[in-house]
Amino acid sequence: MTGTTSRTTVTTVVPERAALALGDDALVLSHRLGEWAGHAPVLEEEVALANIALDLLGQARTLLSLVGDEDDLAFLREERAFRNVQLVEQPNGDFAHTIARQLYFSAYQELLYGQLAASDTVFAPLAAKAVKEVAYHRDHAEHWTLRLGDGTDESRRRMRHALDALWRYTGELFEPVEGLPVDGPALREGWLGRITGVLERAGLALPEGPQHTPWAAGGGRQGIHTEPFGRMLAEMQHLHRSHPGASW
Amino acid sequence: MTATAPETEAPDTAGLEAVFEAAVAADERIEPRDWMPDAYRATLVRQMAQHAHSEIIGMQPEANWITRAPSLRRKAILMAKVQDEAGHGLYLYSAAETLGTGREELLDKLHAGRQRYSSIFNYPTLTWADVGAIGWLVDGAAITNQVPLCRCSYGPYARAMVRICKEESFHQRQGYELLLTLSRGTPAQHAMAQDAVDRWWWPSLMMFGPPDDASAHSAQSMAWKIKRHSNDELRQRFVDICVPQAESLGLTLPDPDLRWNEERGHYDFGPIDWDEFHEVLRGNGPCNDQRLAQRRRAHEEGAWVREAAAAYAAKHGEATA
């Protein structure tokens, strides 16, 4: 070490709030998808859902590591310190709910990472890799939206119900995040176009009403979560917390 | 091997049988379009189905810990492993389908309790260390059993096993490394590792099947070169491999009779509780009901999804998902 004299490398400033927000989104959704293991409707979906979960976990690890120790951040923060949107913490529900959640979130994530990949920020390298993974996730969700929407009466009913039930959680995706260099309104416009297109092809209507009424979710980015989230964290963190300081 | 059954009447069964026997004797591979004895076909379907079912049911005891894995690295490893198991199930169902059966039919038999899966998956995973013990011991036993299957006389099965064994070896090393980390960790972690090995050791030895003098299918399977070694030979090989590994892990194996036998050049080990083995096979193990119930529930609750995919495929001329 040469002390505090001239530094030649540029210090990259990590916008911590933004890194945590994106990292927590990926971490929490990965966890929810991991809950499907051994429960999927068909073996191919065991593989696909685990694959998506692994991609997201990889993204989460990179993002959390920008901020600090990935395990400290994942296992030792309380519920109020998590910055993920409420959409990703929603319970899996039936397969249609899981697909609707994937559809809404992956379309958002693809657009978001597309912007970040082109940005001059610390997120650019991660986003350049992740945008390819997320394009696959979006494709998977869209194909299932088509199959379920245009499959049987039962699958159409379930898909419509799931899309409606999760709609209120989508507005939060476009709220500004401190340090996240994205054009929120443009993201929302692109997202709405994407979702509308898929739902039309699936013979499904866009859920009714603007995203913010009658009651819309919000607050995940400020650490305000829904009730199922605390239980999810209790399960996720209990072993790590039971052995303070241990290595695994 | 090229002989195929004549399309018209009166096949020369004796001649076909001779061609088949000669191919097996010459260590050639039997392929799906080749003639084969009905009993050979039936044995392979039974064994490959049981193998595929074991991969699928075997996801459950490990998936039980995915949501509680204590670090993100371990969580990623475990998720990837469970995903691989689903993939192995897919290979093996495909290989079984070359014998004229279908995945749906095999799954129906599993769900109806008419086909088996490995007895080991009827034991519960009670702590995180069990994930390591499964990797080290259960995957280790599976590899010992499966490496010779890479030379099995039936081509599609042998080729599936080559792919599967590569991934299984990787899982086994990860399991060993997990236990090593626990063994060298805090006293509580070390105790957790020891407890897991104590609970998984004997069930792992049972994975090799009944002793040679009580194994119904062994002689015929060996004659057909489906099996290459007897149950007891493979079990002994496994014990010989595990004892030094346990020493380097800093863990003990729960067998007071375990000791090196200079004369035999092998480890002697204590008697296996075959009553327990048969009880588990009969469906009376700790998790038999739970494992089958979860598998049936996933299948039943997924029926509407599979129906939707089929209906969509029919409308759009797409292959069924």
Side-chain angles (χ1 to χ4, degrees), chain B residues 227-292:
Chain B
K227 280 181 78 156
R228 297 277 178 163
H229 308 279
S230 79
N231 294 351
D232 287 335
E233 271 171 47
L234 292 170
R235 189 170 9 246
Q236 180 70 62
R237 184 179 297 180
F238 178 68
V239 171
D240 291 346
I241 291 169
C242 285
V243 175
Q245 289 184 350
E247 280 164 12
S248 57
L249 278 171
L251 298 171
T252 58
L253 295 171
D255 180 357
D257 297 330
L258 191 66
R259 62 180 57 83
W260 179 250
N261 182 324
E262 193 70 51
E263 235 169 85
R264 294 201 306 126
H266 290 291
Y267 284 94
D268 289 338
F269 53 97
I272 289 170
D273 183 349
W274 293 114
D275 290 340
E276 175 180 320
F277 175 72
H278 289 298
E279 279 305 305
V280 176
L281 278 194
R282 266 196 286 273
N284 301 326
C287 298
N288 297 60
D289 292 345
Q290 170 189 333
R291 298 288 185 244
L292 209 52

Side-chain angles (χ1 to χ4, degrees), chain A residues 92-173:
Chain A
N92 288 334
D94 67 5
F95 190 69
H97 278 78
T98 291
I99 292 300
R101 192 182 61 198
Q102 285 302 110
L103 178 74
Y104 290 153
F105 187 73
S106 60
Y108 154 77
Q109 229 191 354
E110 188 181 16
L111 292 164
L112 174 73
Y113 282 146
Q115 283 200 14
L116 291 179
S119 72
D120 180 23
T121 67
V122 67
F123 298 117
L126 161 90
K129 176 171 181 285
V131 78
K132 293 174 201 153
E133 296 169 347
V134 173
Y136 161 78
H137 305 171
R138 195 256 309 141
D139 194 55
H140 173 265
E142 287 187 354
H143 274 100
W144 274 110
T145 301
L146 295 177
R147 287 191 196 108
L148 299 182
D150 193 13
T152 62
D153 290 345
E154 169 76 354
S155 69
R156 184 176 307 113
R157 182 187 67 75
R158 285 180 185 252
M159 193 65 210
R160 186 181 298 137
H161 178 64
L163 288 162
D164 289 350
L166 292 171
W167 183 250
R168 61 171 47 173
Y169 296 101
T170 58
E172 195 188 1
L173 296 169

Side-chain angles (χ1 to χ4, degrees), chain B residues 77-151:
Chain B
I77 290 171
L78 185 57
M79 271 187 188
K81 183 182 178 192
V82 174
Q83 182 191 27
D84 282 348
E85 282 158 4
H88 295 172
L90 281 170
Y91 300 162
L92 286 162
Y93 286 120
S94 300
E97 283 179 343
T98 64
L99 291 165
T101 180
R103 195 209 300 184
E104 283 307 310
E105 185 188 337
L106 297 176
L107 282 173
D108 286 346
K109 285 182 179 161
L110 169 66
H111 299 152
R114 283 164 52 217
Q115 283 180 340
R116 282 172 170 165
Y117 55 88
S118 178
S119 60
I120 193 83
F121 301 121
N122 293 311
Y123 290 87
T125 47
L126 302 178
T127 72
W128 171 250
D130 290 34
V131 171
I134 288 182
W136 177 45
L137 293 173
V138 175
D139 292 335
I143 293 163
T144 308
N145 263 327
Q146 290 172 7
V147 164
L149 284 173
C150 297
R151 295 185 293 124

Side-chain angles (χ1 to χ4, degrees), chain B residues 308-318 320:
Chain B
Y312 181 86
K315 282 185 220 175
H316 297 271
E318 177 191 81
T320 311

